[in-house]
Amino acid sequence: MRLLKVLEVLLLLASISSFPWAATDNLSCMPTRSKVYRPHRVTVTEFGAVGDGVTLNTKAFQNAIFYLQSFADKGGAQLFVPAGRWLTGSFNLISHLTLCLDKDAVIIGSTDLSSWPVIDPLPSYGRGRELPGGRHKSLIHGSNLTDVIITGDNGTIDGQGSIWWDLFHNKTLNVTRPHLVELMYSTKVVISNLTFINSPFWAIHPVYCSNVLIQNVTILAPLDSPNTDGIDPDSSNNVCIEDCYISTGDDLIAVKSGWDEYGISFAHPSSNISIRHITGETKLGAGIAFGSEMSGGVSEVWAEDIHLFNTEHGIRIKTSPGRGGYIQNIYISDVIMKNVDMAITIQGQYGEHPDEKYDPNALPIINRITIKNVTGANIRLAGLLEGIHGDNFSNICLSNIILNVTSPHPWNCSYVEGYSNMVSPESCEPLKEIPEDSSICYPANHLKPQQSNAIRLFSPFIKFIAM
C-alpha cells in the first residue's frame, strides 16, 4: 500500500513536470519538456499549399492558422509542414499552436519585398534599427501569445537573405531588414530541433518575452553576411538557450534591452538568462555578446560550456555614453576558444545612436562581470577592456584563464577595476588588486538550475508516505 502511494505521487509529479515550464528558485524558465500534445492537427497542404519552391503559399499558411485559432481553448492545435519547399511571405502565429516541420521540409522566405509587410518600430528602439521609420515584419511572427512551439525533425527555415544583404551593401534599403523569427510580448515559447539559414537580419529575436526555450537549433549564414546575429534575446526574462550550433556573420548570441533614450524610457530589462552548450564561429562578431543596445538593463546571465573557433571576439560587452542602463551580475564559465582575434572585449565607446535626442550624460553601469575557466589557442589579444572616463567599469573578475596569445601586448585596459587570479598571460594592472570583499565577484550559484518547486513541494510528502 505504501509503495502504491509513492507511485501515485510520482505519477502526479510526472504530470506536473510535463508542463512546458516548471518554476525554479533562481531561473524560473527552467524547461522540462519541449513538446506538448495537441489534440487538433492539420497539414498546410489541406489549405492549398504547394511545396514546389515556386508557388507562393502565404495565404495557405495564413488560412491554416486562422482555422486553427478556433481550437486555442480546446487543447491547442498543430500545423504540420510536410516534405517539400514551401515559399511564403510573412505570417503570424497564434497562441496554443505548434508549428512542426518534417525533416525534409523547407520554409522559404519570398524574395519579393512586398511579401514582408512593414510594421511599427519597437518602442524600446524608437525607430527601425537600421533606418528611421518602421521595419519589415519577420518571416514567422507573433505578438501577445502564450504557449507557442516552433519545432520539427530538423526541418529548415530559409530566409533567402542574399537579396537583403545586397540592399544593405548597396545602401538601397528603405526600411530595416526583417528577422526570420520574432515573437513579441509572448510567454511560454519553445523553438527547437530546426535549422535556420540565410536570415536577412537577426535570425531569432524574442523581444518583451518571458519563459523562452531555444534548444537544439542550427543557425547558418555566410560569414561575411551583414548583421546576421544568431539568437538575440531582447528585453526578455527567463530565457534558456542550449545545445545550439551557430555560424553566422555577426554575434552568435547577443543579449539586448533597448536603445538609448527609448530603451531607458521603456525600462524593460533582460534578466535570468541561461546559455549552455553553444558551439560556433563568426567572422565579424562575438560568440557571446551583450549590447550594444542595453539601455533597459541586462542582469543575471549565466553562460557555460561555450566552444568558439575562427571568431573575431570571444566574449564581448558593447556600450557607450548615452546608453544608460546596466550590464551586471554576469557569470561566464568553461569557454574554449581557438583562432580567436580578441578573447575578452569590453568597449565603452561602441555603436551609434538612434537620433540626436539621446543624453550623452546617461552613462551605463557595467558591474560584477565574472569570467572563469577559459582556455584559448592561437589568440591574438587576450583582452581589450575599455571603460568610460568618469565611469569606470567595476568588479570585473577573471580567474583560471589560460590563453596562447600571439601579441606581445596581450592586455589593453583603461577605466576598469576588478580582480584576476590564475590568468595567463598576466592580466593588466587595474585587475591585479586582491579584493578585501570577495562578494565583488558574481558567483556561479545564483543561476544554477534548481529542482522545480513542484518536486521540492512534494518531497517531504514522498518521504512521509514511504516511511
Side-chain angles (χ1 to χ4, degrees):
M1 179 63 69
R2 190 171 292 158
L3 180 58
L4 286 175
K5 289 182 179 179
V6 173
L7 290 173
E8 287 175 0
V9 173
L10 290 175
L11 287 172
L12 176 61
L13 286 173
S15 68
I16 292 172
S17 66
S18 69
F19 288 107
W21 302 98
T24 64
D25 288 340
N26 297 310
L27 185 61
S28 58
C29 72
M30 190 60 193
T32 59
R33 199 174 71 168
S34 62
K35 293 184 180 180
V36 172
Y37 173 73
R38 306 291 195 192
H40 306 281
R41 305 180 185 185
V42 298
T43 300
V44 70
T45 53
E46 297 175 47
F47 297 83
V50 179
D52 60 4
V54 178
T55 304
L56 188 65
N57 296 297
T58 311
K59 284 295 183 185
F61 277 100
Q62 291 172 342
N63 290 341
I65 292 170
F66 179 79
Y67 168 76
L68 293 175
Q69 194 161 7
S70 61
F71 300 107
D73 59 350
K74 301 178 180 65
Q78 174 179 289
L79 175 59
F80 180 67
V81 182
R85 296 177 59 80
W86 309 92
L87 184 69
T88 182
S90 301
F91 60 90
N92 292 327
L93 302 182
I94 57 173
S95 294
H96 309 294
L97 175 74
T98 296
L99 176 65
C100 183
L101 279 67
D102 180 86
K103 65 181 179 66
D104 294 317
V106 184
I107 293 178
I108 305 171
S110 171
T111 56
D112 180 355
L113 273 59
S114 66
S115 295
W116 308 68
V118 176
I119 59 176
D120 290 337
L122 294 168
S124 58
Y125 283 70
R127 47 159 273 190
R129 182 58 185 86
E130 298 183 284
L131 294 165
R135 60 209 182 92
H136 285 283
K137 181 192 287 187
S138 61
L139 184 63
I140 299 174
H141 191 80
S143 184
N144 293 290
L145 305 181
T146 186
D147 179 23
V148 178
I149 299 174
I150 305 170
T151 190
D153 187 15
N154 202 32
T156 300
I157 298 174
D158 182 355
Q160 296 204 101
S162 60
I163 185 173
W164 300 95
W165 308 331
D166 289 344
L167 291 171
F168 171 82
H169 286 304
N170 296 333
K171 302 187 186 307
T172 52
L173 273 173
N174 294 319
V175 180
T176 294
R177 289 172 284 162
H179 312 294
L180 274 185
V181 176
E182 180 179 72
L183 296 175
M184 305 170 54
Y185 303 106
S186 297
T187 188
K188 298 182 181 178
V189 173
V190 176
I191 302 173
S192 67
N193 303 314
L194 290 170
T195 296
F196 298 85
I197 64 175
N198 300 323
S199 178
F201 200 41
W202 310 339
I204 300 175
H205 187 222
V207 58
Y208 321 139
C209 289
S210 64
N211 294 348
V212 177
L213 168 62
I214 302 172
Q215 183 181 53
N216 293 327
V217 303
T218 298
I219 303 175
L220 306 174
L223 294 176
D224 60 353
S225 55
N227 312 113
T228 51
D229 293 20
I231 303 169
D232 288 2
D234 196 340
S235 292
S236 294
N237 64 83
N238 301 337
V239 178
C240 298
I241 305 169
E242 58 185 28
D243 302 309
C244 299
Y245 179 85
I246 306 172
S247 175
T248 64
D250 211 323
D251 298 333
L252 306 187
I253 296 172
V255 184
K256 302 176 180 289
S257 68
W259 199 10
D260 284 10
E261 70 269 24
Y262 302 103
I264 295 171
S265 175
F266 196 66
H268 201 120
S270 283
S271 64
N272 280 7
I273 296 176
S274 172
I275 303 168
R276 301 190 302 160
H277 316 316
I278 306 299
T279 299
E281 64 176 325
T282 170
K283 181 179 178 181
L284 302 174
I288 304 296
F290 301 85
S292 70
E293 308 88 340
M294 40 65 68
S295 302
V298 174
S299 67
E300 279 70 53
V301 180
W302 177 60
E304 72 162 0
D305 192 18
I306 312 297
H307 295 244
L308 306 172
F309 59 95
N310 303 337
T311 292
E312 184 176 20
H313 301 271
I315 301 160
R316 190 182 196 187
I317 293 174
K318 303 176 282 186
T319 187
S320 72
R323 290 287 192 265
Y326 55 85
I327 299 175
Q328 62 187 15
N329 295 347
I330 309 298
Y331 183 89
I332 301 173
S333 178
D334 301 314
V335 181
I336 298 174
M337 304 183 192
K338 185 176 181 180
N339 301 331
V340 171
D341 189 60
M342 287 179 271
I344 301 169
T345 308
I346 301 177
Q347 293 172 277
Q349 300 283 349
Y350 181 92
E352 67 278 13
H353 303 282
D355 51 39
E356 299 302 318
K357 299 176 184 178
Y358 76 94
D359 179 5
N361 295 315
L363 300 179
I365 297 171
I366 310 299
N367 181 44
R368 298 189 83 201
I369 312 296
T370 295
I371 302 172
K372 64 185 298 186
N373 301 336
V374 179
T375 61
N378 194 26
I379 310 297
R380 185 183 67 84
L381 193 66
L384 174 64
L385 312 180
E386 297 179 334
I388 298 171
H389 179 63
D391 179 35
N392 282 12
F393 296 169
S394 58
N395 300 333
I396 312 299
C397 296
L398 310 179
S399 66
N400 194 27
I401 297 175
I402 301 174
L403 304 172
N404 178 5
V405 175
T406 61
S407 171
H409 305 289
W411 296 91
N412 186 342
C413 303
S414 59
Y415 308 120
V416 295
E417 303 168 1
Y419 163 73
S420 62
N421 182 45
M422 295 190 296
V423 173
S424 176
E426 188 176 13
S427 64
C428 49
E429 285 296 329
L431 301 185
K432 289 182 181 179
E433 294 292 331
I434 303 296
E436 296 180 3
D437 181 2
S438 61
S439 66
I440 71 165
C441 297
Y442 189 61
N445 56 10
H446 282 259
L447 289 174
K448 287 281 188 181
Q450 307 289 324
Q451 62 176 331
S452 75
N453 288 337
I455 294 174
R456 189 176 63 254
L457 178 65
F458 279 94
S459 292
F461 184 52
I462 294 173
K463 293 176 182 177
F464 173 76
I465 63 176
M467 291 176 59

